[in-house]
Amino acid sequence: MNPQEQRLEYPLGERLPPPGASLEVAPGLRWVRMGLPFALDHINLWLLRDRLDGREGWTLVDCGIANDATRQAWEQVFDRELEGLPVLRVIVTHMHPDHIGLAHWLTERWGCRLWISATDYNAARLGSLRAGGHGGDSAAAFFASHGLTDPLSVERVRQRGNYYASMVPRVPEQFRRLMHDQVLRIGGRDWRCIAGYGHAPEHISLYTEDGGPLLIAGDMLLPRISTNVSVFDLEPEGNPLPLYLASIQGLCSLHEDTLVLPSHGRPFLGLHERVRQLQAHHAERLHEVMQACSSAPRSAADLLGVMFKRPLDLHQTTFAMGEALAHLHALWFEGRLERRLGEDGVWRFANA
């Protein structure tokens, strides 16, 4: 546990849901944990006892990626944890593969509807049909224009053209729209939708005060790591970092004693403390970037060694490039940095 984590409280201690089973974190709310084939090796998913359109059953929050191991894990959960009742709806916090990957299978398996923000639904549909974001020709050219120019890395990024679609091969053809401040009645509790920006186009967290404050936070608030905030080729002049920081600042209006249910890591108390930690983290990264660009013009690739002190594999490098650009763009849009396109076709940023 790192020093920042030590300032948070973990009511469940070291307990984790057994494979293929669940752990109750509040009455009618169960925690499921499934594997991922990345360095970030798990995702937390949630089962909520529900009644919808006169039927008793369950609401699922988030899905896992589309692979056989996740399907098999879900089948074990269905056999052991649903008390013979059906899944009534599938809520997805946002469009990233570990959250929406199996939405098509789950909704078809149970004959139920996907609930998600319209922005993330359409982003997921687009991602499942074309290359973009983390691989393919467009991504390779984009990263090369920001300094990731060694031929091996460029070719590896180019070869990942089906990266998103490999984990999200299909998206349900119909959905029900979630919007900020919309209230969902789930299992005797009123859950308010809270839209968040910067990590995904329109991320939806769920908050309730019924029976004690709970926040299904998705990826907006994680206890151990900082949420990825990136610029990618689909929106090459994006400025997501201020959007993310404003979104988490908005979460400070929630009760201090809210039990935060994150998509990665363990449920924790200390919402306001964690927001302060993340704000300080990004302020430090912005300071490092500003210092580096004050001494000489820097590309995003030049900053990888400044912002990330550990070796990075290709998967991590694409996210790190996106993160470096998010910090550069925040300073560029503020007018503190300027950017120029070099004769080599690489964008570099310098003190304005």
Side-chain angles (χ1 to χ4, degrees):
M1 186 180 294
N2 63 47
Q4 290 190 333
E5 281 189 286
Q6 292 176 0
R7 294 198 289 272
L8 306 176
E9 180 182 347
Y10 296 87
L12 299 176
E14 299 293 331
R15 296 171 63 198
L16 298 173
S22 71
L23 182 63
E24 187 171 72
V25 297
L29 196 163
R30 294 182 168 274
W31 172 20
V32 172
R33 183 176 161 108
M34 293 191 182
L36 294 173
F38 320 126
L40 185 61
D41 62 0
H42 71 278
I43 181 171
N44 300 327
L45 312 168
W46 311 98
L47 313 178
L48 287 80
R49 188 69 166 80
D50 201 4
R51 179 180 177 84
L52 183 66
D53 299 329
R55 300 172 65 209
E56 297 289 334
W58 296 86
T59 283
L60 311 184
V61 180
D62 286 336
C63 306
I65 66 170
N67 63 14
D68 289 340
T70 311
R71 290 186 190 91
Q72 292 168 7
W74 270 123
E75 291 291 359
Q76 292 178 341
V77 170
F78 298 154
D79 290 342
R80 299 174 183 176
E81 305 296 331
L82 299 192
E83 303 169 4
L85 296 172
V87 173
L88 304 176
R89 56 182 157 187
V90 175
I91 295 174
V92 167
T93 58
H94 63 294
M95 51 76 67
H96 291 158
D98 48 336
H99 297 262
I100 199 172
L102 271 186
H104 70 284
W105 178 77
L106 289 166
T107 54
E108 288 183 358
R109 168 81 165 70
W110 293 101
C112 64
R113 185 74 70 230
L114 166 67
W115 297 50
I116 187 173
S117 72
T119 317
D120 275 61
Y121 173 77
N122 285 294
R125 286 291 297 266
L126 180 64
S128 69
L129 296 172
R130 66 177 293 274
H134 301 283
D137 291 340
S138 176
F142 178 69
F143 287 137
S145 75
H146 287 285
L148 192 69
T149 56
D150 72 275
L152 181 59
S153 294
V154 170
E155 184 56 29
R156 285 177 174 174
V157 172
R158 183 175 288 114
Q159 290 174 0
R160 284 161 43 111
N162 68 338
Y163 178 75
Y164 187 92
S166 70
M167 293 179 286
V168 190
R170 290 175 54 200
V171 175
E173 294 184 0
Q174 297 175 315
F175 77 105
R176 186 153 171 179
R177 184 177 185 180
L178 297 178
M179 299 177 68
H180 183 67
D181 273 344
Q182 181 178 349
V183 176
L184 308 180
R185 187 71 175 172
I186 306 175
R189 294 185 178 97
D190 284 336
W191 293 84
R192 178 166 63 88
C193 296
I194 301 175
Y197 304 95
H199 174 66
E202 189 183 2
H203 181 294
I204 298 293
S205 302
L206 298 173
Y207 176 69
T208 186
E209 295 180 358
D210 295 341
L214 298 166
L215 177 68
I216 298 178
D219 280 350
M220 291 302 291
L221 213 57
L222 305 176
R224 173 179 282 267
I225 61 174
S226 60
T227 297
N228 180 259
V229 180
S230 285
V231 176
F232 290 117
D233 61 290
L234 289 177
E235 190 183 357
E237 287 80 42
N239 189 21
L241 184 56
L243 297 176
Y244 175 73
L245 293 173
S247 295
I248 62 172
Q249 179 60 41
L251 296 177
C252 287
S253 65
L254 308 182
H255 283 291
E256 169 67 30
D257 60 349
T258 295
L259 179 61
V260 181
L261 307 178
S263 288
H264 310 283
R266 292 175 290 149
F268 69 92
L269 296 170
L271 185 157
H272 294 185
E273 169 63 25
R274 187 57 181 148
V275 169
R276 288 191 292 268
Q277 292 175 4
L278 290 167
Q279 290 169 334
H281 165 80
H282 287 290
E284 184 178 349
R285 297 289 87 75
L286 288 167
H287 178 70
E288 290 176 346
V289 169
M290 194 69 201
Q291 279 194 317
C293 294
S294 295
S295 61
R298 308 282 186 175
S299 69
D302 292 333
L303 294 173
L304 296 185
V306 174
M307 296 180 63
F308 303 94
K309 312 303 183 187
R310 64 187 186 281
L312 302 172
D313 61 25
L314 180 65
H315 177 76
Q316 294 164 335
T317 296
T318 60
F319 283 100
M321 284 289 293
E323 283 263 357
L325 277 169
H327 289 79
L328 285 166
H329 281 198
L331 296 166
W332 173 43
F333 276 85
E334 284 183 12
R336 298 172 64 191
L337 294 179
E338 62 181 14
R339 71 170 193 168
R340 292 184 179 176
L341 187 63
E343 292 182 0
D344 59 356
V346 173
W347 290 104
R348 293 179 177 85
F349 296 76
N351 194 325

